[in-house]
Amino acid sequence: MILLKKGLVMLSLTALLIFSGCSTGAQQSTSKSEASSSVSGKLSFYTSQPEADVTKLIAAFNQKYPDVTVESFRSGTEEVTAKIQAEQQAGKVQADVLLLADAVTFEGLKKQDLLLTYKSPELSKIPDNLVDKDGMYAGTKVMATVLAVNTQKVKTIPTSWQALTAPESKDAAIMPNPLYSGAAAYNVGVLSRTDGFGWDYFKGLKSNSTTVVKGNGAVLNAVSSGEKSYGMVVDFLVAREKAKGSPVELVYPTEGVPVITEPIGILKNTTNGTAAKAFVDFVLSEDGQKVSAEIGYTPIRDGVAAPAGLKGLSEFNVLSSDISTLTEARDADKKQFTEVFGQ
């Protein structure tokens, strides 16, 4: 009888522990579900990312937050910025969240007092120098502008930016337009202030009949098709195209490369701050950064590896300039570029 009682006691304790464990697991699951379901409504997302990448990012976000309807608008950074300015003049910016090419763009919006201060808990894993100190925006990835070379047309792969101004590359090079592309505008600002380049370099590009087209995608298409031999273009596009089997090579020139971080920020007058903050948190989180890597970008978060074919931030020489100077001079730089190229 004593043995039987002991057995019943043990059985009861075991059942209690199992029930308690199941209950805790259920509570945790419910808690996560409740946290996700508390984030809902519409979210307006303005971005310069390629359409296919936008679709993948939103789909990944909606796996975690299915009750948020994300409506996106995408174009080149300069056109998105123009849309924001037009909406501001009309009385209200319609976007909740922005993800655009470079910090200079966000500095301009910050000076207009259009951005919300939000310091995401995910920022502890993002390099401090790639985050706005006032919490207005944070970088989301690392994108270097590099040389793209068509390997069927160029047998000796160059290692210098000077290849674009060399006599043998006359009529054979192409670059994006800084009046459309934020990355291109940033490149002009940095290179025009870098020893060994300056405006003389851009005059050399013009003299060599370098073609200027609307965006980075058009640059890569021209190089991969063989229409052009060389291109000045963001690195992830070249790596993607090479992985598909296209005859292109990605070169990080020895002089260094300009780097943008495609920052993300929230508009001050957002009508859905809860969803906007959840979106920023997701993009900067480990899961969100893994999505970026799967799409083909070099993540900005510590501990998430770059995809095959791309270098991490510590692996190449970065060309940069004072962010305040670049912000103040952007319009003047674009005007100067227009004068040089006659755009």
Side-chain angles (χ1 to χ4, degrees):
M1 180 68 87
I2 293 173
L3 288 174
L4 181 58
K5 285 183 178 179
K6 285 184 177 178
L8 288 171
V9 170
M10 292 298 293
L11 184 60
S12 298
L13 287 172
T14 302
L16 181 60
L17 287 171
I18 292 172
F19 177 78
S20 298
C22 290
S23 177
T24 302
Q27 288 174 355
Q28 289 176 343
S29 177
T30 300
S31 177
K32 289 179 181 179
S33 176
E34 287 176 351
S36 296
S37 63
S38 67
V39 182
S40 60
K42 290 184 179 181
L43 187 72
S44 180
F45 176 45
Y46 286 12
T47 182
S48 59
Q49 282 192 312
E51 194 67 50
D53 298 352
V54 176
T55 300
K56 291 175 183 176
L57 175 61
I58 293 173
F61 172 74
N62 279 146
Q63 284 185 348
K64 185 171 184 179
Y65 299 101
D67 296 326
V68 180
T69 300
V70 183
E71 298 174 347
S72 64
F73 170 80
R74 68 105 15 229
S75 188
T77 289
E78 298 305 304
E79 288 192 356
V80 175
T81 304
K83 178 176 172 65
I84 292 169
Q85 299 302 330
E87 291 177 351
Q88 173 69 1
Q89 290 179 8
K92 185 178 185 300
V93 179
Q94 301 300 311
D96 294 299
V97 179
L98 302 177
L99 194 159
L100 301 172
D102 64 316
V104 174
T105 297
F106 279 85
E107 281 293 314
L109 297 172
K110 178 181 175 180
K111 292 187 77 169
Q112 289 184 265
D113 195 29
L114 293 178
L115 301 176
L116 180 75
T117 295
Y118 176 57
K119 296 186 177 182
S120 169
E122 302 295 341
L123 291 179
S124 62
K125 294 293 185 179
I126 310 298
D128 288 342
N129 63 324
L130 303 180
V131 175
D132 175 49
K133 61 182 176 58
D134 296 317
M136 300 289 187
Y137 61 88
T140 66
K141 54 185 69 69
V142 176
M143 296 167 57
T145 289
V146 298
L147 270 177
V149 182
N150 185 294
T151 55
Q152 292 180 340
K153 303 194 74 172
V154 179
K155 299 308 176 186
T156 302
I157 304 300
T159 60
S160 169
W161 285 115
Q162 302 307 321
L164 300 184
T165 57
E168 58 269 23
S169 62
K170 188 172 181 64
D171 296 312
I174 187 168
M175 66 179 291
N177 192 333
L179 305 185
Y180 174 80
S181 165
Y186 182 80
N187 297 341
V188 169
V190 170
L191 292 177
S192 66
R193 292 172 176 80
T194 299
D195 291 343
F197 292 92
W199 284 109
D200 284 343
Y201 181 73
F202 289 98
K203 291 174 182 176
L205 293 176
K206 172 62 177 176
S207 297
N208 227 24
S209 300
T210 297
T211 299
V212 178
V213 291
K214 200 170 185 181
N216 282 275
V219 171
L220 184 64
N221 289 339
V223 176
S224 62
S225 68
E227 177 188 343
K228 297 291 182 179
S229 301
Y230 307 93
M232 183 182 286
V233 63
V234 287
D235 57 357
F236 77 93
L237 289 178
V238 190
R240 280 186 191 176
E241 198 64 21
K242 182 178 178 180
K244 294 177 185 176
S246 294
V248 292
E249 187 57 71
L250 185 162
V251 177
Y252 293 88
T254 54
E255 300 98 328
V257 292
V259 170
I260 58 172
T261 60
E262 277 203 344
I264 193 168
I266 300 172
L267 271 300
K268 192 172 185 177
N269 66 355
T270 176
T271 56
N272 194 347
T274 300
K277 291 174 181 178
F279 193 86
V280 170
D281 291 346
F282 175 75
V283 170
L284 298 177
S285 71
E286 184 174 359
D287 287 344
Q289 290 288 291
K290 286 180 178 178
V291 170
S292 286
E294 289 166 7
I295 291 173
Y297 297 108
T298 299
I300 201 168
R301 185 183 175 99
D302 293 339
V304 184
L310 292 177
K311 291 184 178 181
L313 188 61
S314 63
E315 298 179 88
F316 49 76
N317 180 31
V318 177
L319 298 179
S320 62
S321 189
D322 177 67
I323 191 72
S324 298
T325 300
L326 294 178
T327 303
E328 292 293 336
R330 173 153 288 193
D331 288 342
D333 287 346
K334 289 191 288 188
K335 182 179 179 181
Q336 180 69 27
F337 182 89
T338 299
E339 291 174 359
V340 170
F341 278 84
Q343 292 294 306

